[in-house]
Amino acid sequence: GHSGPLGVPGGGAPPLPRPLARPVGAGGARAAAATVGSTLVARLGETVLAALREQFIERALRLPLDRVEAAGSGDLVSRVTSDVSMIGKSVRQALPEFSRSALTIVLTLVGLAVLDWRFLLAALLAAPVQVLSVRWYLRRAAPVYGEHRVATGALQHQLLDSVGGVRTVRAFRLNATHTELLERRSEAARDLGLRGIHIVTGFFSRLNLAEFIGLAAMLGTGFVLVDRGSVSIGTATAAALYFHSLFNPINATLFLLDDAQSAGASFARLVGVSNLPAERAAADHHALKDGSVEVSALSHAYGSGAPVLHEVDLRVRSGERVALVGASGAGKTTLAKLVAGVHSPTGGSIRLGGVDAGELGPAGVRRAVALISQEVHVFAGTLADDLRLARPEADDEALRAALDRVGALEWARALPEGLDTVVGEGGHRLTVTQAQHLALARLVLADPPIAILDEATADAGSAGARVLEEAAARALEGRTGLLVAHRLPQAAAADRIVVLDQGRVVETGTHEELVAAGGRYADLWAAWSASRREPGEKVPHPAPGADSDVDAPVSPTV
């Protein structure tokens, strides 16, 4: 007949054989199904993770402050970062992988049964070893992974602590101590990680034994059946290959138990925080009659340690400005935190505006008292949003008025976009003085009757401290002020000074009265005056670094 140009009869290309179209179609359908499945699993996983994160943050923000402080920032950060990542990895990768592997295992076992039921029995001989291996693994892995997550949290907390307080570490020559702490916590995390790897290695060596037993049984069964003429060599070979193809899906399924253990430990840490009881709500909304603070027979100890405060009595009249003075460890910061409701006292009582702090509840105490420490956080966002944390409904005019009151409006207007300038992490970096100005402006916006400034001007250097002392004085106008004084001139400017020594009030009076009395305050003032560099000033200001004999930076154990 007639040939085409390539020697094909009829001159056209041969039609695509039907048998080839089927696998192509099946492959396309499988790809489409895999895409849809992966999308649905990803959407489910991301939704679950987002809900978990939000629930965690919401509950963490409502936890009692002493609980948060006891846990430490590193622990909370590790829970919401590495723990969420671990769960995310399981949700995104483990679930689809597990589904695929489980389906493959079931279909392969059905295939073995179709070839010959005796092949299925031979394959199942591996199962007891696999079950025992899984039980061995689960018993050992769960506790190690839980401890590893805790050790990782402790390491992160130590890193944050050491790096965040690097100036203090250097100032007090604590480099070696902090290096040792970091090494110890790194070693603990590493050792637990290695224990986990050792358990996983032992687990897989046992699974290899199960594979050996199963494959040997398959080959033995095949030999006997072919010898009897029950099955052909091809069938026996197919059965052995079927069983061999089970290695990967079975190992993948069981290996996912490893991820599941890690994810379970992480999930427990997140849900654990979500299940913690929130702080107690006040029975009803108590109105304070004024801004007075009355502390009676107040005692406090951290955990089971020695008492930090002993039977402290203190009366602060509404509108009065009182400075707390004393050497490091005297209990000033502890007293400030107790009045602010960060900790609950172990003995004695606190009355704010004539109402017992216990009746006010944590939320009521927060409405009555604002605590500003030297550790001011500038949140990521616009300057206006940062200020509105104190009063969400405040308009731009109110924000400008608050900044103006503390003397910060000039630099705020000079920012690239004024109040709309993005500050904090990844934005415009504020100086220490500007960050403290921001905190004082928030205080003005929140407008509580009582304000506590805990060394709020200590980090700004000598010139910055003077600017902030003036700003603090203006922010405190019209409210009761309790100042943990880092610089003695700041204390000298207060209406009254309360001197603490080893957790007890040892003196109280004005600056002039206490200097004339020749007691503990007079000693501190003399020691401080001897170190001053500006003798011409009436109330001297120390040069930077000259006030280290008066106090040390805040620490939770002060």
Side-chain angles (χ1 to χ4, degrees):
H2 175 68
S3 290
L6 297 175
V8 179
L16 189 69
R18 199 167 292 154
L20 189 59
R22 282 184 193 147
V24 169
R30 182 185 171 190
T35 305
V36 172
S38 299
T39 306
L40 291 173
V41 167
R43 185 179 295 167
L44 171 70
E46 295 303 330
T47 307
V48 168
L49 284 174
L52 197 61
R53 265 198 188 100
E54 286 165 14
Q55 192 181 5
F56 174 86
I57 294 293
E58 189 182 341
R59 180 45 59 90
L61 290 173
R62 291 170 190 269
L63 286 176
L65 288 171
D66 55 347
R67 187 150 215 163
V68 174
E69 194 167 87
S73 51
D75 181 69
L76 289 171
V77 167
S78 78
R79 286 177 197 246
V80 86
T81 52
S82 56
D83 285 332
V84 168
S85 300
M86 188 63 72
I87 298 166
K89 182 183 162 194
S90 287
V91 168
R92 293 183 197 107
Q93 295 170 15
L95 276 177
E97 185 69 34
F98 183 82
S99 308
R100 277 198 297 273
S101 299
L103 189 61
T104 305
I105 292 165
V106 170
L107 291 176
T108 306
L109 291 175
V110 169
L112 284 172
V114 168
L115 289 175
D116 193 293
W117 63 271
R118 284 163 289 199
F119 285 129
L120 178 61
L121 284 181
L124 292 176
L125 282 176
V129 181
Q130 288 163 337
V131 169
L132 288 171
S133 300
V134 169
R135 286 184 62 185
W136 175 89
Y137 168 74
L138 291 179
R139 222 175 25 248
R140 284 161 178 76
V144 171
Y145 282 122
E147 286 173 38
H148 187 244
R149 303 252 47 84
V150 172
T152 307
L155 175 58
Q156 280 195 311
H157 180 65
Q158 190 59 55
L159 277 167
L160 288 169
D161 204 31
S162 298
V163 174
V166 69
R167 283 185 296 176
T168 307
V169 170
R170 284 178 179 165
F172 289 95
R173 296 185 181 85
L174 298 172
N175 307 47
T177 309
H178 276 252
T179 305
E180 190 189 331
L181 278 167
L182 275 170
E183 277 179 8
R184 204 182 311 144
R185 292 191 171 178
S186 297
E187 282 169 8
R190 179 204 64 200
D191 292 346
L192 284 164
L194 286 172
R195 268 177 65 193
I197 290 168
H198 182 70
I199 290 167
V200 172
T201 310
F203 179 45
F204 281 108
S205 67
R206 285 162 172 78
L207 292 182
N208 289 339
L209 176 65
E211 288 169 359
F212 171 76
I213 291 168
L215 192 55
M218 290 296 295
L219 292 171
T221 304
F223 178 79
V224 170
L225 293 178
V226 169
D227 193 46
R228 286 184 186 169
S230 303
V231 298
S232 66
I233 289 177
T235 304
T237 306
L241 290 172
Y242 268 14
F243 184 77
H244 188 271
S245 73
L246 277 175
F247 286 6
N248 283 344
I250 284 177
N251 283 355
T253 305
L254 297 177
F255 185 63
L256 291 173
L257 286 171
D258 184 53
D259 283 349
Q261 287 298 304
S262 279
S266 296
F267 190 73
R269 279 161 58 79
L270 284 171
V271 173
V273 170
S274 300
N275 288 341
L276 284 173
E279 63 184 15
R280 184 180 53 78
D284 48 35
H285 193 83
H286 292 274
L288 307 188
K289 69 173 194 285
D290 56 22
S292 64
V293 177
E294 295 172 51
V295 170
S296 304
L298 197 69
S299 299
H300 189 67
Y302 289 99
S304 57
V308 182
L309 292 178
H310 307 268
E311 302 284 322
V312 170
D313 289 308
L314 177 64
R315 303 280 182 279
V316 182
R317 294 187 305 277
S318 186
E320 188 182 17
R321 201 160 308 165
V322 171
L324 298 176
V325 169
S328 181
K332 306 180 302 299
T333 293
T334 299
L335 180 56
K337 286 183 173 180
L338 289 171
V339 174
V342 175
H343 302 303
S344 299
T346 48
S349 67
I350 299 167
R351 294 177 73 79
L352 304 172
V355 183
D356 190 272
E359 288 178 36
L360 284 171
V365 171
R366 276 202 300 276
R367 277 193 298 271
V369 185
L371 169 66
I372 298 180
S373 74
Q374 62 185 15
E375 299 160 14
V376 173
H377 186 74
V378 179
F379 291 89
T382 66
L383 184 68
D385 287 343
D386 218 316
L387 287 165
R388 283 195 180 98
L389 288 169
R391 186 146 59 93
E393 75 281 1
D395 57 16
D396 283 2
E397 200 50 52
L399 302 186
R400 277 191 281 271
L403 288 166
D404 189 36
R405 180 157 165 190
V406 298
L409 189 57
E410 193 178 331
W411 65 254
R413 277 192 173 138
L415 291 174
E417 279 124 53
L419 289 177
D420 294 324
T421 306
V422 174
V423 293
E425 200 70 38
H428 183 91
R429 296 299 293 266
L430 298 183
T431 66
V432 173
T433 306
Q434 288 172 338
Q436 289 288 357
H437 263 147
L438 190 58
L440 292 169
R442 281 200 208 119
L443 170 64
V444 171
L445 285 163
D447 199 24
I450 303 158
I452 301 174
L453 304 188
D454 185 1
E455 306 187 355
T457 61
D459 263 357
S462 191
R466 284 200 283 278
V467 169
L468 286 175
E469 278 163 22
E470 192 179 317
R474 293 177 68 176
L476 287 174
E477 280 170 16
R479 65 186 106 252
T480 306
L482 203 58
L483 298 97
V484 176
H486 186 73
R487 292 157 51 85
L488 286 184
Q490 189 185 13
D495 300 329
R496 188 158 53 98
I497 297 166
V498 172
V499 185
L500 286 165
D501 190 35
Q502 295 181 350
R504 290 181 170 85
V505 174
V506 291
E507 285 182 303
T508 180
T510 64
H511 170 72
E512 289 77 13
E513 287 168 0
L514 293 178
V515 169
R520 183 85 184 95
Y521 180 80
D523 293 344
L524 286 171
W525 183 260
W528 181 85
S529 299
S531 69
R532 76 186 188 223
R533 302 287 175 86
E534 303 168 70
E537 291 190 60
K538 189 170 72 174
V539 176
H541 295 283
D547 49 2
S548 61
D549 59 330
V550 177
D551 209 344
V554 178
S555 131
T557 53
V558 167

